[in-house]
Coordinates of all heavy atoms in Angstrom, one line a residue:
N411 N 87.3 332.5 122.0 CA 85.9 332.5 122.4 C 85.6 333.9 123.0 O 86.0 334.2 124.1 CB 85.7 331.4 123.3 CG 84.3 331.3 123.9 OD1 83.5 332.3 123.7 ND2 84.0 330.2 124.5
N412 N 84.9 334.7 122.3 CA 84.6 336.1 122.7 C 83.7 336.1 124.0 O 83.8 337.0 124.7 CB 83.9 336.9 121.6 CG 84.9 337.4 120.7 OD1 85.9 337.9 121.1 ND2 84.7 337.3 119.4
A413 N 82.9 335.1 124.1 CA 81.9 335.1 125.2 C 82.7 335.1 126.6 O 82.2 335.7 127.5 CB 81.0 333.9 125.1
I414 N 83.8 334.4 126.6 CA 84.5 334.4 127.9 C 85.7 335.4 127.8 O 86.1 336.0 128.9 CB 85.0 333.0 128.3 CG1 85.8 333.0 129.6 CG2 85.9 332.3 127.3 CD1 85.3 332.0 130.6
G415 N 86.3 335.7 126.7 CA 87.3 336.6 126.6 C 88.6 336.3 127.3 O 88.9 335.1 127.3
G416 N 89.3 337.3 127.8 CA 90.6 337.0 128.4 C 90.6 337.5 129.9 O 89.6 337.6 130.5
G417 N 91.8 337.9 130.3 CA 91.8 338.5 131.7 C 92.0 337.5 132.8 O 91.9 337.9 134.0
F418 N 92.3 336.3 132.5 CA 92.7 335.3 133.5 C 94.2 335.4 133.6 O 94.9 334.9 132.6 CB 92.2 333.9 133.1 CG 90.7 333.8 133.1 CD1 90.0 334.3 132.0 CD2 90.0 333.3 134.2 CE1 88.6 334.2 132.0 CE2 88.6 333.2 134.2 CZ 87.9 333.7 133.1
N419 N 94.7 336.1 134.6 CA 96.1 336.5 134.5 C 97.2 335.5 134.6 O 98.3 335.7 134.5 CB 96.3 337.6 135.5 CG 95.7 338.9 135.1 OD1 95.2 339.0 133.9 ND2 95.7 340.0 135.9
D420 N 96.8 334.2 134.9 CA 97.8 333.1 134.9 C 98.0 332.6 133.5 O 99.0 331.9 133.3 CB 97.3 332.0 135.8 CG 96.0 331.3 135.3 OD1 95.1 332.1 134.9 OD2 96.0 330.1 135.3
D421 N 97.0 332.8 132.6 CA 97.1 332.1 131.3 C 98.4 332.2 130.6 O 99.0 331.1 130.2 CB 95.9 332.6 130.4 CG 94.6 331.8 130.6 OD1 94.7 330.7 131.0 OD2 93.6 332.4 130.3
P422 N 99.0 333.4 130.4 CA 100.2 333.5 129.7 C 101.4 332.6 130.2 O 102.1 332.0 129.4 CB 100.6 334.9 129.8 CG 99.4 335.7 130.2 CD 98.6 334.7 130.9
A423 N 101.5 332.4 131.5 CA 102.6 331.7 132.1 C 102.5 330.2 131.6 O 103.6 329.6 131.3 CB 102.6 331.7 133.6
W424 N 101.3 329.7 131.4 CA 101.2 328.3 131.0 C 101.8 328.0 129.6 O 102.2 326.9 129.3 CB 99.8 327.8 131.1 CG 99.2 327.8 132.5 CD1 98.2 328.7 133.0 CD2 99.6 327.0 133.7 NE1 98.0 328.4 134.3 CE2 98.8 327.4 134.7 CE3 100.6 326.0 133.8 CZ2 98.9 326.8 136.0 CZ3 100.7 325.4 135.1 CH2 99.9 325.8 136.2
L425 N 101.6 329.0 128.8 CA 102.2 328.8 127.4 C 103.7 328.6 127.5 O 104.2 327.8 126.8 CB 101.8 330.0 126.5 CG 102.3 330.0 125.1 CD1 101.7 328.8 124.3 CD2 102.0 331.3 124.3
V426 N 104.3 329.4 128.3 CA 105.8 329.3 128.4 C 106.1 327.9 128.9 O 107.1 327.2 128.4 CB 106.4 330.4 129.4 CG1 107.9 330.2 129.6 CG2 106.0 331.8 128.9
L427 N 105.4 327.4 129.9 CA 105.7 326.1 130.5 C 105.5 325.0 129.4 O 106.2 324.0 129.4 CB 104.9 325.8 131.8 CG 105.1 326.9 132.9 CD1 104.4 326.4 134.2 CD2 106.6 327.1 133.2
A428 N 104.4 325.2 128.6 CA 104.2 324.2 127.6 C 105.3 324.2 126.5 O 105.8 323.1 126.1 CB 102.8 324.4 127.0
V429 N 105.7 325.3 126.1 CA 106.7 325.4 125.1 C 108.0 324.8 125.6 O 108.7 324.1 125.0 CB 106.9 326.9 124.6 CG1 108.1 326.9 123.6 CG2 105.6 327.3 123.8
A430 N 108.3 325.2 126.9 CA 109.5 324.6 127.5 C 109.5 323.1 127.5 O 110.5 322.5 127.2 CB 109.7 325.2 128.9
A431 N 108.3 322.6 127.8 CA 108.2 321.1 127.9 C 108.5 320.5 126.5 O 109.1 319.5 126.3 CB 106.9 320.7 128.4
Y432 N 107.9 321.2 125.5 CA 108.1 320.7 124.1 C 109.5 320.8 123.7 O 110.1 319.8 123.1 CB 107.2 321.5 123.2 CG 107.5 321.2 121.7 CD1 107.1 320.0 121.2 CD2 108.3 322.1 120.9 CE1 107.4 319.7 119.8 CE2 108.6 321.7 119.6 CZ 108.1 320.5 119.1 OH 108.4 320.2 117.8
L433 N 110.2 321.9 124.0 CA 111.6 322.0 123.6 C 112.5 321.0 124.3 O 113.3 320.4 123.7 CB 112.1 323.4 124.0 CG 111.5 324.6 123.2 CD1 112.0 325.9 123.8 CD2 111.9 324.5 121.7
K434 N 112.2 320.7 125.6 CA 113.0 319.7 126.3 C 112.8 318.3 125.7 O 113.7 317.6 125.6 CB 112.6 319.7 127.8 CG 113.0 320.9 128.5 CD 112.6 320.8 130.0 CE 112.4 322.2 130.6 NZ 111.8 322.1 131.9
E435 N 111.5 318.0 125.4 CA 111.3 316.7 124.8 C 111.9 316.5 123.4 O 112.5 315.5 123.1 CB 109.7 316.5 124.7 CG 109.3 315.1 124.2 CD 109.7 314.0 125.2 OE1 109.7 314.2 126.4 OE2 110.2 312.9 124.7
S436 N 111.7 317.6 122.6 CA 112.0 317.4 121.2 C 113.4 318.0 120.8 O 113.9 317.6 119.7 CB 110.9 318.0 120.3 OG 111.0 319.5 120.5
G437 N 113.8 319.0 121.5 CA 115.1 319.7 121.1 C 114.8 320.5 119.8 O 115.8 321.0 119.2
D438 N 113.6 320.7 119.4 CA 113.3 321.3 118.1 C 113.2 322.8 118.3 O 112.1 323.4 118.6 CB 111.9 320.8 117.6 CG 111.3 321.6 116.6 OD1 112.0 322.3 115.8 OD2 110.0 321.6 116.5
R439 N 114.3 323.5 118.1 CA 114.3 325.0 118.4 C 113.6 325.7 117.3 O 113.3 326.9 117.4 CB 115.7 325.6 118.7 CG 116.8 325.0 117.9 CD 118.1 325.6 118.4 NE 118.8 324.7 119.3 CZ 119.9 325.0 120.0 NH1 120.5 326.2 119.8 NH2 120.5 324.2 120.8
S440 N 113.3 325.1 116.1 CA 112.7 325.8 115.0 C 111.3 326.3 115.4 O 110.8 327.3 114.8 CB 112.6 324.9 113.8 OG 111.5 323.9 114.0
I441 N 110.7 325.7 116.4 CA 109.4 326.2 116.8 C 109.4 327.6 117.2 O 108.5 328.4 117.1 CB 108.7 325.3 117.8 CG1 107.2 325.6 117.9 CG2 109.4 325.4 119.2 CD1 106.4 324.7 118.8
L442 N 110.5 328.0 117.8 CA 110.6 329.4 118.4 C 110.6 330.5 117.3 O 110.3 331.6 117.5 CB 111.9 329.6 119.2 CG 111.9 328.7 120.5 CD1 113.3 328.7 121.1 CD2 110.9 329.1 121.5
D443 N 111.0 330.0 116.0 CA 111.0 331.0 114.9 C 109.7 331.0 114.1 O 109.5 331.8 113.2 CB 112.1 330.6 113.9 CG 113.5 330.6 114.6 OD1 113.7 331.5 115.5 OD2 114.3 329.8 114.3
E444 N 108.8 330.1 114.5 CA 107.5 330.0 113.7 C 106.8 331.3 113.9 O 106.7 331.9 115.0 CB 106.6 328.9 114.3 CG 107.0 327.5 114.0 CD 106.6 327.1 112.6 OE1 105.9 327.8 111.9 OE2 107.1 326.0 112.1
L445 N 106.3 331.8 112.7 CA 105.5 333.1 112.8 C 104.1 332.8 113.2 O 103.4 332.0 112.5 CB 105.6 333.8 111.4 CG 107.0 334.3 111.1 CD1 107.0 334.8 109.6 CD2 107.4 335.4 112.0
V446 N 103.7 333.4 114.2 CA 102.4 333.1 114.8 C 101.6 334.4 115.0 O 102.2 335.3 115.6 CB 102.5 332.3 116.2 CG1 101.1 331.9 116.7 CG2 103.4 331.1 116.1
P447 N 100.3 334.4 114.5 CA 99.6 335.7 114.7 C 99.1 335.9 116.2 O 99.1 334.9 117.0 CB 98.4 335.5 113.8 CG 98.2 334.0 113.7 CD 99.6 333.4 113.8
Y448 N 98.6 337.0 116.4 CA 97.8 337.3 117.7 C 96.4 337.3 117.3 O 96.0 337.9 116.3 CB 98.3 338.6 118.3 CG 99.8 338.5 118.7 CD1 100.8 338.8 117.8 CD2 100.1 338.1 120.0 CE1 102.1 338.7 118.2 CE2 101.5 338.0 120.4 CZ 102.5 338.3 119.4 OH 103.8 338.2 119.8
D449 N 95.5 336.7 118.2 CA 94.1 336.7 118.0 C 93.8 336.2 116.5 O 92.8 336.7 115.9 CB 93.5 338.1 118.2 CG 92.0 338.1 118.3 OD1 91.4 337.1 118.3 OD2 91.4 339.2 118.4
N450 N 94.6 335.4 116.0 CA 94.4 334.8 114.7 C 94.3 335.9 113.6 O 93.7 335.7 112.6 CB 93.1 333.9 114.6 CG 93.5 332.5 115.1 OD1 94.3 331.9 114.6 ND2 92.9 332.1 116.2
R451 N 94.8 337.1 113.8 CA 94.7 338.2 112.8 C 95.9 338.1 111.8 O 97.0 338.3 112.2 CB 94.8 339.5 113.5 CG 93.6 339.8 114.4 CD 93.0 341.2 114.2 NE 91.7 341.2 114.8 CZ 91.5 341.5 116.1 NH1 92.5 341.9 116.8 NH2 90.2 341.5 116.6
P452 N 95.5 337.9 110.6 CA 96.6 337.9 109.6 C 97.3 339.3 109.6 O 96.7 340.3 109.8 CB 95.9 337.8 108.2 CG 94.5 337.2 108.6 CD 94.2 337.7 110.0
G453 N 98.6 339.2 109.5 CA 99.4 340.5 109.5 C 100.0 340.8 110.8 O 100.9 341.6 111.0
S454 N 99.6 340.1 111.9 CA 100.1 340.4 113.2 C 101.2 339.4 113.7 O 101.6 339.4 114.8 CB 98.9 340.3 114.2 OG 98.4 339.0 114.3
E455 N 101.6 338.6 112.8 CA 102.6 337.5 113.1 C 103.9 338.0 113.7 O 104.5 338.9 113.2 CB 102.9 336.6 111.9 CG 101.7 335.8 111.4 CD 100.8 336.6 110.5 OE1 101.1 337.8 110.2 OE2 99.8 336.0 110.0
T456 N 104.3 337.3 114.7 CA 105.7 337.5 115.2 C 106.2 336.0 115.5 O 105.4 335.1 115.6 CB 105.8 338.2 116.6 OG1 105.3 337.4 117.6 CG2 105.1 339.6 116.5
P457 N 107.6 335.9 115.6 CA 108.1 334.6 116.0 C 107.5 334.1 117.3 O 107.2 335.0 118.2 CB 109.6 334.8 116.1 CG 109.9 336.0 115.3 CD 108.6 336.9 115.4
L458 N 107.3 332.8 117.5 CA 106.8 332.3 118.8 C 107.6 332.8 120.0 O 107.0 333.1 121.0 CB 106.8 330.8 118.7 CG 106.2 330.1 120.0 CD1 104.7 330.4 120.1 CD2 106.5 328.6 120.0
L459 N 108.9 332.9 119.8 CA 109.7 333.4 120.9 C 109.2 334.7 121.5 O 109.2 334.9 122.7 CB 111.2 333.5 120.5 CG 112.2 333.9 121.6 CD1 112.2 332.8 122.7 CD2 113.6 334.0 121.0
E460 N 108.8 335.6 120.6 CA 108.3 336.9 121.0 C 106.9 336.7 121.8 O 106.7 337.4 122.7 CB 108.1 337.9 119.9 CG 107.7 339.2 120.4 CD 107.7 340.3 119.4 OE1 108.4 340.3 118.4 OE2 106.9 341.3 119.6
H461 N 106.1 335.8 121.3 CA 104.9 335.5 122.1 C 105.3 335.2 123.6 O 104.6 335.6 124.5 CB 104.2 334.3 121.5 CG 103.4 334.6 120.3 ND1 102.0 334.7 120.3 CD2 103.7 334.9 119.0 CE1 101.5 335.0 119.1 NE2 102.6 335.1 118.3
L462 N 106.3 334.4 123.7 CA 106.7 334.0 125.1 C 107.2 335.2 125.9 O 106.9 335.3 127.1 CB 107.8 332.9 125.0 CG 107.4 331.6 124.2 CD1 108.6 330.6 124.4 CD2 106.1 331.0 124.7
Q463 N 107.9 336.0 125.2 CA 108.4 337.2 125.9 C 107.2 338.1 126.3 O 107.2 338.7 127.4 CB 109.4 338.0 125.0 CG 110.7 337.3 124.8 CD 111.4 337.7 123.5 OE1 110.9 338.4 122.6 NE2 112.7 337.3 123.4
R464 N 106.2 338.2 125.4 CA 105.1 339.0 125.8 C 104.3 338.3 127.0 O 103.7 339.0 127.7 CB 104.1 339.1 124.6 CG 104.7 340.0 123.5 CD 103.7 340.4 122.5 NE 104.3 341.0 121.3 CZ 103.7 341.6 120.4 NH1 102.3 341.7 120.4 NH2 104.3 342.0 119.3
C465 N 104.4 337.0 127.1 CA 103.8 336.4 128.2 C 104.3 336.9 129.5 O 103.6 337.2 130.5 CB 104.0 334.8 128.2 SG 103.1 334.0 127.0
L466 N 105.6 337.0 129.6 CA 106.3 337.4 130.8 C 106.0 338.9 131.1 O 105.7 339.3 132.2 CB 107.8 337.2 130.8 CG 108.3 335.8 130.8 CD1 109.8 335.8 131.0 CD2 107.6 335.0 131.9

Side-chain angles (χ1 to χ4, degrees):
N411 176 349
N412 278 316
I414 180 133
F418 295 79
N419 284 353
D420 64 315
D421 272 334
W424 297 113
L425 179 64
V426 179
L427 300 187
V429 174
Y432 171 74
L433 291 173
K434 290 180 207 172
E435 183 65 40
S436 66
D438 164 28
R439 40 185 94 184
S440 75
I441 194 174
L442 296 170
D443 301 326
E444 286 282 350
L445 291 174
V446 185
Y448 295 87
D449 193 6
N450 277 301
R451 292 227 165 88
S454 65
E455 293 82 359
T456 70
L458 180 67
L459 185 61
E460 185 173 334
H461 280 254
L462 304 184
Q463 289 158 349
R464 290 193 195 190
C465 287
L466 292 191

